[in-house]
Amino acid sequence: QVQLVESGGGLVQPGGSLRLSCAASGSIFRIHAMGWYRQAPGKQRELVAGITSGGSTNYADSVKGRFTISRESAKNTWNLQMNSLKPEDTAVYYCNAIIAIDFFSRREYWGRGTQVTVSS
């Protein structure tokens, strides 16, 4: 069984920073890609940032220059450093990954989410 667990969410003032972390555990053969999504009330879930096993990254236009995704492959963890936070960043943030449990099978896994609230 593969499980993803987020940590680091909370309340922060506009202009502040938070660092989210995700840890994957279980029967993992290989993690092919890692990412962060978010969902605000009444909105669809959207990709915030992603990183491949080779280190290639991509970001939503709304967070470019403010957020940074990184990974610690040996620990099966990845992070999202969020700087210059804005009220519109308020959402539940979910980590996800494309994980193979053996040579033949792979699929997406999701964490349960962590709340990030940006408010004065």
Side-chain angles (χ1 to χ4, degrees):
Q1 299 290 332
V2 174
Q3 291 186 317
L4 275 58
V5 179
E6 304 98 335
S7 62
L11 175 66
V12 65
Q13 293 183 334
S17 298
L18 282 175
R19 185 173 185 266
L20 306 182
S21 296
C22 185
S25 61
S27 300
I28 298 172
F29 178 74
R30 181 176 175 83
I31 302 178
H32 293 277
M34 299 138 279
W36 289 93
Y37 287 72
R38 68 186 181 188
Q39 187 167 24
K43 302 291 183 64
Q44 289 186 308
R45 187 174 298 184
E46 64 175 350
L47 175 69
V48 176
I51 186 168
T52 70
S53 60
S56 179
T57 60
N58 65 291
Y59 298 90
D61 288 342
S62 60
V63 307
K64 286 181 179 177
R66 300 188 297 120
F67 291 10
T68 303
I69 188 170
S70 61
R71 62 184 174 90
E72 300 177 59
S73 297
K75 299 179 181 179
N76 290 332
T77 63
W78 54 104
N79 308 302
L80 184 69
Q81 178 66 46
M82 304 184 293
N83 298 325
S84 301
L85 283 161
K86 305 174 181 179
E88 49 263 46
D89 294 318
T90 296
V92 177
Y93 284 70
Y94 301 87
C95 65
N96 90 316
I98 299 173
I99 296 176
I101 62 172
D102 56 36
F103 183 79
F104 302 101
S105 301
R106 67 181 70 177
R107 74 172 185 88
E108 284 190 309
Y109 292 85
W110 293 87
R112 295 179 180 179
T114 185
Q115 178 70 46
V116 172
T117 302
V118 184
S119 176
S120 60

